[in-house]
Amino acid sequence: MTDIPVPAPAAAAAPSASGLPAWLSAVHPAWWILGFLLLFMPAMAGDFVLVQIFGWSFILGMIALSLMFLGGYGGMVSLAQMTIAALAGYMAAVFGTSSVAEISLGLPWWIAVPIALSIATLFGVVVGALAVRTAGIYTIMITLAISAAFFYFALQNYEIFNGQRGFNGIRAPVAFGVDWRAPVPFYYLTLALAAASYLFVVYVGRAPFGLALQGIRDNARRMAAIGYNVTAHRIAAYAVASFIAGVAGILLTWQNGQISPGTAGIPAVIDILVIAVVGGLGHPIGPFLGALLYALLRTFALDVFSAFGFESTRFNLLVGVAFLVVVLASPDGLVGLWRRWRDRRRPAAKPSGGHR
Amino acid sequence: MSRSLAGWRIALVALAVVLFAWLVLAPWPQGFEAVFGRKKVFLNAVLNGITLGGLYFLVASGFTLIFGLMRNVNLAHGSLYLVGGYVAYETVEATGSWLLSFVAAFLVTAFLGLLLQWFIFRRMEGQDLRQTLVTIGISIVAADVMLWLWGGGFYQIAAPAALGGATQLPLISSVKSNGDTVWLTYPIVRLVIFAASVVLGVAMWLVLNRTRLGMMVRAGVDDRDMLSAIAVRVPILFMLVFAFGAGLAGVAGVVGGTFQSLAPGEDSRFLLVSLIVVIVGGMGSIPGAALGALIIGLAEQLGSVYAPTYAVALTFLIMVAVLAFRPQGLMGRA
Amino acid sequence: MSSVAERLSATGTANALELRGITRLFGALAALTDVTISVRPGERRAVLGSNGAGKTTLFNCITGDFLPTSGTIRFFGEDITSFPPHERIRRGLRRTYQISLLFKGLTVVDNVYLACRGVSRGRFSLLRPRRGDAIRAAAESLVEAVHLTGVRDRLVGELAYGQQRQLEIALALAGAPRFVLFDEPAAGLSPTERSELVEILTALPRHIGYVIIEHDMDVALRVVESVTMMHNGRIFKEGAPQEIEDDPEVQDLYLGGGHG
């Protein structure tokens, strides 16, 4: 696949002019403002906005981030990320506690969560191993087929997945003296994990593993000819991405308090692709932008829609049209839009500037 | 080494064929039925699987034809299927003619295919990720528009009365205790549709292998550079093939709407079927689509009879096995 | 797998590259027929021949881009016939490509860094290289060696053609190469760039041997000590540069082929 929008490489940290360490002064002021806003959000926003808008955006953003990691860095657009997240959520329900006492094993969270993450990561590795046997467009088709198979399997299997009804009554635990299901702690939990995975993906992009992944995206054959085991690298990328998606999947289950086959249905799988593409596969921030937009639309579009006299059920039409417009007009999403706007404003600036 | 391996393979296939023929043709012994259930159930599952395979072939052959010639990935193929079905339903409601509904569905979906090729794919040649994304967007929009127009209910296209009954097949269903043979009866409409898909498949094969048009298409599949050398108007050829492939999806929608039903969600189901069939059979291969459709159809039906919970898992396992051992698909070229 | 001791002793005596009876079929078409070549460690050889003579196919078999239909390939005594490409590279084999196969979305220095990292440990490392990282430093000096310091932070996709060719060579010299395959390194270069290339090739340490495919006789014959002529997938002549140049049969074939 040659038409994947390519993340611009980070420019080497500029020598620091002030007394600050180089990495600190390299952080753009806008990031400081964003950081403060997010940290003090609970002082400004109500519980609904905290959990339903921001918490949800962070979670969806993480799942889309795992897709961006595979697609933007590795050139592998996987539609299995929502499925892997859902599997982690299911496993957290099966090994932890839920209202379905005949299946849930009721293990404490510090055992159930690691088990769930391990299973999700392992599943991601298997998906990766299957998907990387072929290249390019086949990846999308194979991962879509795998996701659909998982959906139908979860729907029909009652022994582990409890069929159509799935699990409910799954709650974030009380740990370290904090009730994580309360809105403000849950907000900070999702914020911390989303920020951690974002920083991780940014950081790894310049580490040997991430660079090698981008090399494979640009030219897999040449990577083999300079000593890399391309297949192993691709599968390892699936493992990393699946871990991130798994963490997000458990958070999503905690947030909703339930998980059912619909969580990983085809529409949900496609939604993650829409989020990642609309936000932009070119930079790790893209998925979070896309997720915020999606969460806002999902929450408020119905009101806006009925205000204009449309039937309130036409949400998918709106999403579909918006997605089409973005793909046709700016294939690299909001991030690409912003980059072009910035480059036009500063034509003298370096053509391939950094993105701190 | 490879020669003796090929010998083994042929022997295994021959053994499987003989076993299958026995299972289908011979009356089952008492003890055998006690373990495996009644022969009638098995026969029905096999026939349902084969006829379902016919339907799957109709959908998947269009998909694989378009991909094979133009490397266009049309993830709105399932939407074309559903559009075809709804158009046929409306035609039957309005005119009462089942046959006319095929024509209407084919024309409408072929026209939509033309539009897709003209406005989307022609402008994005070689950009397969963008094609994928755009066609996903189109299928989201199409799904919602169809939901708007036809609602969330189930529709079934009424087959003509002449095809309504069942017929007796020369297959032994069971042998009564008094020695009488009971022959299997089977719905005519499914047989007719299956026969039609076989005829269509053979016709496609003949056109591809025996005509100048087919030669151009095949040359294009093998070597895209050659195509511009022998075909005068490549864009027109591409439009025709795309329209035909899209029309096949529409026809499949009529068939699916007749012996199954039409509802939201059927579009993604049949897109998935197309994907799995061509992954198993091999991208761009018409015989591969036929083989893949047969395998998936049989696996689904036999699976739903003998292992209802895991019918989907079985289909999936077949795909995984093919990917693991023959990533290019059973009939695909490496 | 031979023991380390065996491999070390083999290194002392064996040929750098030893091909025996290499045949490669594409369908019914034989791209290579029964090719047998030995190259000593440190030896520098040109492979000449018209288009379609099988030169690039030969390279692809040696580096494992695809496998020969029959025959064996030994690299410093070790049978590498069925090794995957990355295993061959890690043993000291390197190559450049006729069409530049570079990482266009990465910077020049990152391209070279990837090549250096590819033949060392830590390919999967999730940690960024620290200041003073040995591999980072090796990449920097390699960028300098191929005269690309001025564009080290540019995206490769933005480089001029000649610069991409120089980078192509840098990728092949990363780590500790023992033997390099150069596939038409001078194609499309200006006269100045060509003499720069000759300079880079002759400046290589003596222990690094190479095989070079080159249409430009002026370049090829200045940087090698032996020549193999190929024709229609077979070895046609072998000898010293002067012998080959003076050979009437070669002159017929080569000048008749429209190259030279």
Side-chain angles (χ1 to χ4, degrees):
Chain A
M1 253 186 251
T2 51
D3 53 327
I4 287 180
V6 168
S16 137
S18 62
L20 289 168
W23 68 270
L24 255 180
S25 60
V27 176
H28 194 279
W31 290 105
W32 289 111
I33 298 168
L34 179 66
F36 278 114
L37 270 180
L38 290 177
L39 271 180
F40 293 108
M41 189 61 72
M44 299 175 272
D47 288 352
F48 177 80
V49 171
L50 282 186
V51 175
Q52 288 306 318
I53 303 291
F54 283 99
W56 199 31
S57 306
F58 295 149
I59 294 168
L60 290 177
M62 283 172 76
I63 304 176
L65 178 72
S66 78
L67 196 162
M68 179 271 153
F69 180 75
L70 288 173
Y73 284 176
M76 304 174 283
V77 177
S78 158
L79 290 183
Q81 298 315 109
M82 186 65 231
T83 302
I84 290 162
L87 180 66
Y90 265 116
M91 289 301 117
V94 169
F95 288 96
T97 41
S98 79
S99 310
V100 187
E102 50 281 23
I103 297 178
S104 288
L105 298 175
L107 297 173
W109 69 271
W110 48 272
I111 301 180
V113 167
I115 292 179
L117 285 178
S118 313
I119 292 176
T121 308
L122 195 70
F123 180 70
V125 167
V126 174
V127 170
L130 285 172
V132 303
R133 290 196 51 103
T134 55
I137 200 63
Y138 287 71
T139 311
I140 290 185
M141 297 197 258
I142 288 164
T143 49
L144 180 60
I146 290 173
S147 299
F150 177 85
F151 167 73
Y152 287 112
F153 186 79
L155 200 63
Q156 290 175 359
N157 178 290
Y158 282 84
E159 289 82 1
I160 301 171
F161 292 95
N162 201 27
Q164 202 178 342
R165 290 179 41 223
F167 296 83
N168 50 24
I170 314 155
R171 309 293 294 273
V174 177
F176 310 115
V178 179
D179 179 5
W180 295 101
R181 71 190 68 166
V184 173
F186 189 77
Y187 170 81
Y188 280 119
L189 180 67
T190 51
L191 173 63
L193 289 170
S197 26
Y198 168 78
L199 291 174
F200 172 79
V201 170
V202 169
Y203 178 84
V204 167
R206 305 284 310 146
F209 180 69
L211 275 179
L213 213 52
Q214 295 166 66
I216 290 170
R217 172 200 66 205
D218 283 357
N219 203 321
R221 181 175 168 204
R222 184 51 176 268
M223 282 303 277
I226 57 174
Y228 290 84
N229 184 341
V230 171
T231 309
H233 245 92
R234 283 182 167 152
I235 294 177
Y238 269 93
V240 171
S242 304
F243 184 82
I244 296 175
V247 172
I250 293 174
L251 290 176
L252 187 66
T253 314
W254 284 348
Q255 193 207 4
N256 294 337
Q258 64 91 36
I259 185 153
S260 60
T263 310
I266 309 273
V269 165
I270 299 290
D271 281 350
I272 292 298
L273 179 72
V274 171
I275 288 171
V277 170
V278 167
L281 292 174
H283 188 280
I285 199 65
F288 290 102
L289 291 178
L292 182 62
L293 190 66
Y294 179 87
L296 286 172
L297 276 179
R298 259 279 181 237
T299 314
F300 297 115
L302 296 186
D303 304 331
V304 178
F305 249 52
S306 35
F308 280 98
F310 278 101
E311 256 183 88
S312 56
T313 45
R314 295 282 78 83
F315 176 72
N316 280 325
L317 192 61
L318 179 75
V319 166
V321 169
F323 179 64
L324 266 179
V325 168
V326 170
V327 175
L328 289 172
S330 173
D332 38 5
L334 296 177
V335 170
L337 218 56
W338 180 73
R339 271 197 190 131
R340 277 196 295 279
W341 177 75
R342 181 196 59 186
D343 290 349
R344 203 170 307 149
R345 261 190 48 203
R346 300 185 306 182
K350 279 196 299 177
S352 60
H355 57 237
R356 303 269 163 130
Chain B
M1 187 198 92
S2 65
R3 186 160 301 169
S4 69
L5 207 70
W8 270 108
R9 229 176 252 170
I10 292 169
L12 269 178
V13 169
L15 189 70
V17 168
V18 169
L19 185 69
F20 189 73
W22 180 81
L23 280 173
V24 171
L25 297 176
W28 287 11
Q30 285 286 317
F32 198 77
E33 287 213 335
V35 179
F36 293 99
R38 293 169 58 212
K39 187 186 173 191
K40 186 181 165 199
V41 174
F42 171 77
L43 273 186
N44 265 317
V46 168
L47 285 173
N48 285 346
I50 293 174
T51 47
L52 186 64
L55 170 61
Y56 286 177
F57 170 75
L58 284 179
V59 196
S61 58
F63 186 83
T64 205
L65 190 68
I66 290 170
F67 180 84
L69 179 65
M70 295 169 275
R71 294 287 177 277
N72 282 347
V73 186
N74 179 18
L75 292 192
H77 199 71
S79 311
L80 291 170
Y81 167 90
L82 197 52
V83 170
Y86 282 135
V87 166
Y89 175 82
E90 295 297 337
T91 314
V92 172
E93 287 295 293
T95 66
S97 165
W98 189 59
L99 286 176
L100 191 65
S101 75
F102 278 88
V103 180
F106 182 87
L107 288 180
V108 170
T109 49
F111 179 69
L112 292 175
L114 279 181
L115 294 183
L116 275 177
Q117 170 67 15
W118 183 257
F119 286 109
I120 306 290
F121 288 106
R122 199 173 54 100
R123 291 153 199 269
M124 296 181 188
E125 213 168 299
Q127 307 177 39
D128 43 11
L129 180 64
R130 270 190 94 190
Q131 291 179 358
T132 316
L133 296 176
V134 169
T135 50
I136 283 178
I138 290 173
S139 61
I140 295 173
V141 171
D144 208 56
V145 170
M146 284 189 277
L147 184 66
W148 200 348
L149 294 177
W150 283 284
F154 287 81
Y155 290 80
Q156 189 155 26
I157 299 169
L163 299 177
T167 184
Q168 211 172 56
L169 293 182
L171 292 172
I172 299 168
S173 174
S174 61
V175 179
K176 281 189 186 162
S177 47
N178 61 11
D180 286 356
T181 303
V182 181
W183 300 96
L184 186 78
T185 55
Y186 198 72
I188 298 174
V189 65
R190 295 189 74 121
L191 293 174
V192 168
I193 283 168
F194 176 69
S197 63
V198 170
V199 168
L200 194 80
V202 171
M204 271 168 74
W205 189 85
L206 283 178
V207 169
L208 279 176
N209 287 282
R210 293 280 184 272
T211 64
R212 187 177 148 72
L213 179 73
M215 191 194 75
M216 287 196 285
V217 173
R218 275 188 308 135
V221 172
D222 284 347
D223 180 356
R224 313 244 292 136
D225 296 330
M226 263 254 293
L227 191 61
S228 45
I230 56 162
V232 196
R233 289 181 185 147
V234 176
I236 303 233
L237 177 67
F238 278 14
M239 304 261 300
L240 284 178
V241 171
F242 203 109
F244 181 72
L248 277 182
V251 167
V254 190
V255 172
T258 306
F259 73 70
Q260 297 186 345
S261 58
L262 303 166
E266 290 295 289
D267 48 352
S268 40
R269 195 189 132 211
F270 275 86
L271 170 66
L272 260 142
V273 163
S274 310
L275 290 182
I276 294 180
V277 164
V278 294
I279 289 170
V280 169
M283 271 286 181
S285 158
I286 297 287
L291 183 64
L294 191 65
I295 291 175
I296 298 303
L298 278 173
E300 256 183 42
Q301 289 299 321
L302 288 172
S304 67
V305 169
Y306 293 104
T309 317
Y310 300 103
V312 185
L314 182 64
T315 327
F316 177 62
L317 273 180
I318 292 173
M319 189 186 89
V320 169
V322 169
L323 279 176
F325 296 108
R326 221 180 133 76
Q328 73 273 33
L330 293 176
M331 309 284 265
R333 261 168 290 173
Chain C
M1 187 82 147
S2 52
S3 76
V4 175
E6 274 170 8
R7 267 172 63 189
L8 280 177
S9 68
T11 313
T13 56
N15 280 319
L17 199 58
E18 183 148 337
L19 311 184
R20 293 213 165 276
I22 296 293
T23 296
R24 168 72 204 196
L25 306 173
F26 289 107
L29 188 84
L32 294 173
T33 313
D34 197 23
V35 171
T36 297
I37 297 180
S38 313
V39 188
R40 285 174 286 107
E43 184 181 337
R44 293 160 178 207
R45 172 174 312 207
V47 174
L48 304 180
S50 52
N51 282 331
K55 302 171 307 241
T56 298
T57 309
L58 186 69
F59 274 21
N60 284 336
C61 284
I62 298 174
T63 49
D65 283 41
F66 44 70
L67 299 179
T69 311
S70 63
T72 58
I73 303 168
R74 288 178 171 275
F75 187 63
F76 288 94
E78 188 178 8
D79 187 346
I80 59 163
T81 314
S82 52
F83 279 25
H86 63 266
E87 289 291 344
R88 306 178 193 220
I89 302 304
R90 291 177 196 174
R91 280 167 174 72
L93 181 67
R94 300 283 188 278
R95 84 169 285 185
T96 69
Y97 287 84
Q98 192 179 340
I99 329 141
S100 293
L101 293 181
L102 300 165
F103 313 115
K104 300 218 159 113
L106 299 176
T107 62
V108 169
V109 71
D110 282 343
N111 268 258
V112 182
Y113 174 75
L114 272 181
C116 294
R117 183 55 78 183
V119 288
S120 61
R121 287 174 172 278
R123 281 177 289 263
F124 285 88
S125 172
L126 295 175
L127 297 179
R128 290 186 182 181
R130 296 180 194 193
R131 192 163 300 193
D133 177 76
I135 301 215
R136 198 89 224 174
E140 297 284 358
S141 62
L142 205 50
V143 168
E144 201 179 321
V146 294
H147 315 289
L148 288 176
T149 316
V151 290
R152 65 184 288 284
D153 289 323
R154 293 273 296 279
L155 289 185
V156 169
E158 302 168 356
L159 292 191
Y161 179 77
Q163 291 172 321
Q164 293 197 3
R165 302 299 300 171
Q166 275 160 292
L167 180 58
E168 185 72 37
I169 290 175
L171 293 194
L173 296 179
R178 292 201 283 176
F179 201 86
V180 189
L181 309 172
F182 291 107
D183 196 346
E184 297 203 33
L189 295 189
S190 69
T192 345
E193 287 168 333
R194 273 167 203 243
S195 52
E196 217 171 336
L197 174 71
V198 171
E199 211 176 286
I200 292 172
L201 290 181
T202 43
L204 286 180
R206 268 321 303 181
H207 71 274
I208 302 179
Y210 57 75
V211 172
I212 180 169
I213 296 176
E214 191 46 72
H215 280 309
D216 185 341
M217 290 282 210
D218 286 343
V219 172
L221 299 183
R222 272 160 67 196
V223 296
V224 300
E225 54 229 28
S226 59
V227 175
T228 298
M229 277 292 299
M230 288 184 70
H231 186 57
N232 284 342
R234 292 171 188 275
I235 304 278
F236 178 63
K237 277 265 153 63
E238 281 190 312
Q242 204 56 48
E243 285 168 46
I244 296 291
E245 215 174 359
D246 296 342
D247 189 301
E249 268 188 298
V250 170
Q251 279 180 348
D252 255 18
L253 191 74
Y254 215 50
L255 298 175
H259 301 281

